[in-house]
Amino acid sequence: AGQADAGRGGAKDIHRRLNSVTALRDFLFYEEPGIQLYCGDCREVLPFIDSVDALVTDPPFGISWSRASWADAEDDYPELIGWLVKDSARLVPVGWCFVFQAMPNVGRFHEWFPPGWRLFAACKNFAQIRPTGVWHSWDPVVFWRNGPNSVPNSVHVNRDYFVGNVAGVFSERANHPCPRPVDTMRHIVGLAAPVGGMVLDPFAGSGTTLLAAKEMGRQAIGIEIEPRYCEIAVKRLRQEMLPFGEQDSARGQTAPQ
């Protein structure tokens, strides 16, 4: 999950800072053919982005998660999700939207998401052991479609669940608290956009959605507010598969053509 900077003065402060921004490229952190990564608050960057084919993102959880390195206040979360859903209608006028969510909020999905939303089950091959009667073995991904329905985008089985390999992910959390399995994101990206289509992730985190899009022959735009996570994302994109423990500064670099 990436993060929204909820502690920087709210909407009025965002609009004030936007007056000093002249172009989308002012936020550009990295680009290569078919991939752009912007470093900044997504609420500031998205007004500069035109429509895309799909939204695939993992926003903050809104559960006051103690391990989060971002603002995760429960009271602010409905406003954040409300803004994301509203802007998705402009950004994806015709296409799929997939938004990762936290299981504790499942009782409020009907308040936050558009009519007709469904759940994609991001299952795990290793269950999350918790002090509850039933362990959490899958994460809910709320999805919906703006505009008319479509034929499948993927040539693979278009199931509304996927069992991801999380065995190698948990050991990589030293530099990001909640990376998603690449195989799960490949499945979702394949569902969300056609080959060559543009996928948007406004909470890009360590770049897993961008990497999955690249591997699946899709284009992608990512936005992430934390420069350190942008650096990880760039290295993963450039090296295809990267252990999270290796980092260096990549600001301003462009991939060799």
Side-chain angles (χ1 to χ4, degrees):
Q3 81 181 77
D5 190 353
R8 292 169 59 186
K12 291 183 179 179
D13 193 39
I14 288 173
H15 291 311
R16 185 163 53 249
R17 289 197 304 278
L18 277 175
N19 291 332
S20 65
V21 176
T22 59
L24 179 62
R25 292 191 68 85
D26 291 347
F27 295 102
L28 185 64
F29 192 94
Y30 174 81
E31 64 179 342
E32 62 178 72
I35 304 289
Q36 295 90 42
L37 175 62
Y38 298 96
C39 187
D41 189 316
C42 62
R43 295 169 297 182
E44 299 180 12
V45 181
L46 285 180
F48 294 96
I49 294 179
D50 295 326
S51 62
V52 296
D53 296 296
L55 173 74
V56 177
T57 195
D58 185 10
F61 301 135
I63 56 174
S64 299
W65 193 39
S66 61
R67 293 172 60 182
S69 60
W70 51 82
D72 196 46
E74 297 178 38
D75 293 342
D76 297 333
Y77 197 65
E79 180 181 359
L80 173 66
I81 291 299
W83 161 80
L84 180 63
V85 170
K86 181 179 179 180
D87 216 28
S88 74
R90 175 188 68 84
L91 293 163
V92 191
V94 179
W96 292 103
C97 300
F98 286 78
V99 180
F100 275 81
Q101 287 291 284
M103 196 66 78
N105 284 331
V106 68
R108 301 195 66 184
F109 292 170
H110 68 286
E111 302 174 19
W112 300 339
F113 294 103
W117 60 267
R118 291 174 54 192
L119 284 182
F120 175 94
C123 304
K124 310 167 187 177
N125 59 351
F126 286 92
Q128 184 178 0
I129 301 175
R130 296 174 59 85
T132 59
V134 179
W135 293 348
H136 291 188
S137 300
W138 62 281
D139 291 322
V141 185
V142 176
F143 73 99
W144 68 94
R145 184 171 176 84
N146 294 332
N149 207 344
S150 70
V151 298
N153 288 315
S154 174
V155 297
H156 304 289
V157 178
N158 290 275
R159 296 190 178 102
D160 56 2
Y161 73 91
F162 186 83
V163 182
N165 180 18
V166 300
V169 173
F170 294 125
S171 63
E172 297 171 346
R173 284 185 169 173
N175 293 299
H176 194 281
C178 53
R180 297 294 178 183
V182 177
D183 55 354
T184 297
M185 299 312 297
R186 282 196 295 261
H187 184 88
I188 294 176
V189 165
L191 294 176
V195 173
M198 179 67 74
V199 177
L200 172 66
D201 185 353
F203 300 93
S206 59
T208 306
T209 301
L210 305 186
L211 180 61
K214 180 177 179 179
E215 293 179 351
M216 294 294 290
R218 276 71 170 171
Q219 303 180 77
I221 296 172
I223 306 169
E224 171 53 43
I225 198 170
E226 285 281 355
R228 57 178 171 156
Y229 295 150
C230 289
E231 292 171 358
I232 296 172
V234 169
K235 292 197 68 174
R236 298 181 76 197
L237 287 165
R238 295 182 65 178
Q239 299 181 13
E240 298 289 327
M241 297 298 292
L242 172 73
F244 276 42
E246 301 177 13
Q247 296 187 52
D248 64 11
S249 177
R251 174 170 287 280
Q253 296 184 11
T254 300
Q257 303 297 313

